[in-house]
Amino acid sequence: MDKKFMQYIVLFLGTFALSTSAIFVKLSEAPSSIIAFYRLSFTFLILLPFLFTNKKNLREIRGLTRKQLLIGGASGVFLSFHYLLWFESLKFTSVASSTVIVTLQPVFAFGASALIFKERFSKGVIFGAFISIVGCVLIGWGDFQISGMALVGDIMAFVAAGVITGYFFIGQILRQEIDVIPYSIVGYGMSSIILFFYSLITRASFFNYSTLTWGCFVGLALISTILGQVIFNWLLKWVSASTVSMSILGESVGTCILAYFILGEKLTLKQFIGILIILTGLFIYFVNNKQKKIK
């Protein structure tokens, strides 16, 4: 089977896993900082055995330069702020609206790719990206609020989109030098430390949560992060951050469908049309995208 096709299959599976994030957050009864802390710290602990049982991973993490540690630590800072902003936004606006806005990261990614990595995009790629973004906007249009606290939530989600783009660009740089486990360990470790102290300062409780909430913490780590975000981190060695950001547009599709079945949120005709538009745009994008093949 063609490696490029397999690459896209993995992107699709990672995107679907990531689309569970908003559902788990919405079902949780914990503060945003605690949700983010347990998501990343549990992920960190799950990845540790893969570090200590693999000689290559151990050798790489021991051999990290000061520059690599600083850049990897910076990725953790970006990630922790992304989750704090996004999870907090879900308290003020709907799942559909927040997810749609936070998945607009290609807007940031395309600009940064052109400036930092001197990437050039074909007309087909740009057209596909534009079509997908239109579909995202259509899905969340009825939920976008121009007043009150919902606007605060939408703004927080938009800033979170820019922050996570920075995280993926750092990954694109470091993944050319180190394997996915050492890279993820550094980033998730730093994020966990930041979120731990933030939670302490804000006096958020680390315990006394329902079984459902603890289950959501585990689900966020195992499904949304290990099967979603870590998969993207792995792919960043071969695909650009802009392509990863584009694939994440599909997250809003999965989230809308899951929100319908799990949270009982309505799936309107407009949202259904938006889903079809997003999928059409993604198809156009990936057909015209000339990615490097896996070596």
Side-chain angles (χ1 to χ4, degrees):
M1 187 177 291
D2 182 72
K3 290 181 178 179
K4 183 176 180 180
F5 178 74
M6 285 299 299
Q7 183 175 296
Y8 289 164
I9 292 296
V10 174
L11 273 173
F12 169 78
L13 294 175
T15 299
F16 182 76
L18 201 62
S19 67
T20 63
S21 295
I23 306 301
F24 285 127
V25 173
K26 203 74 173 180
L27 290 172
S28 300
E29 299 170 347
S32 301
S33 61
I34 293 296
I35 297 173
F37 167 72
Y38 279 119
R39 173 177 185 167
L40 298 177
S41 60
F42 281 179
T43 301
F44 175 82
L45 293 173
I46 292 169
L47 292 178
L48 275 182
F50 296 95
L51 176 68
F52 290 119
T53 59
N54 187 293
K55 292 182 179 180
K56 181 184 176 183
N57 289 337
L58 272 176
R59 185 169 59 251
E60 281 194 356
I61 204 163
R62 288 170 178 168
L64 291 177
T65 65
R66 181 179 299 180
K67 179 180 178 181
Q68 289 173 327
L69 284 172
L70 286 173
I71 295 175
S75 75
V77 174
F78 275 90
L79 193 60
S80 57
F81 276 94
H82 164 72
Y83 283 130
L84 282 173
L85 287 166
W86 181 36
F87 290 174
E88 197 68 26
S89 76
L90 289 167
K91 294 182 178 180
F92 303 109
T93 189
S94 71
V95 168
S97 181
S98 178
T99 303
V100 166
I101 294 173
V102 85
T103 53
L104 291 179
Q105 42 193 287
V107 174
F108 298 94
F110 274 56
S113 291
L115 291 173
I116 299 173
F117 296 104
K118 309 300 180 183
E119 286 188 47
R120 295 295 178 264
F121 305 100
S122 68
K123 292 180 180 179
V125 163
I126 294 174
F127 180 67
F130 175 76
I131 291 298
S132 292
I133 291 173
V134 168
C136 282
V137 172
L138 183 61
I139 286 178
W141 187 259
D143 296 315
F144 295 154
Q145 305 292 329
I146 311 299
S147 61
M149 295 308 293
L151 177 60
V152 174
D154 291 343
I155 292 173
M156 293 173 77
F158 186 72
V159 175
V163 173
I164 195 61
T165 301
Y167 170 78
F168 282 126
F169 274 105
I170 289 175
Q172 183 174 338
I173 295 170
L174 275 188
R175 281 289 290 118
Q176 305 308 310
E177 303 171 2
I178 61 177
D179 208 350
V180 65
I181 297 299
Y183 166 69
S184 298
I185 285 288
V186 173
Y188 293 139
M190 176 59 75
S191 294
S192 298
I193 292 171
I194 293 172
L195 292 166
F196 174 76
F197 283 107
Y198 179 87
S199 298
L200 279 180
I201 293 171
T202 57
R203 298 184 178 181
S205 174
F206 286 90
F207 306 103
N208 302 318
Y209 295 112
S210 66
T211 302
L212 174 62
T213 297
W214 284 106
C216 288
F217 295 159
V218 175
L220 281 165
L222 280 175
I223 301 174
S224 307
T225 310
I226 297 293
L227 298 180
Q229 195 176 85
V230 173
I231 291 296
F232 292 142
N233 289 343
W234 175 71
L235 285 170
L236 282 170
K237 186 177 179 69
W238 303 286
V239 304
S240 66
S242 57
T243 294
V244 170
S245 294
M246 267 302 301
S247 70
I248 294 176
L249 283 177
E251 181 182 351
S252 58
V253 175
T255 298
C256 283
I257 294 172
L258 290 172
Y260 172 79
F261 286 106
I262 299 174
L263 302 180
E265 293 193 3
K266 294 181 179 180
L267 184 61
T268 65
L269 176 61
K270 181 174 61 177
Q271 290 175 324
F272 180 74
I273 294 173
I275 287 173
L276 294 179
I277 292 174
I278 291 172
L279 294 176
T280 300
L282 289 175
F283 177 78
I284 294 172
Y285 176 90
F286 285 110
V287 165
N288 288 277
N289 188 40
K290 305 299 181 182
Q291 278 295 330
K292 294 181 288 183
K293 291 186 177 180
I294 297 177
K295 298 178 181 178

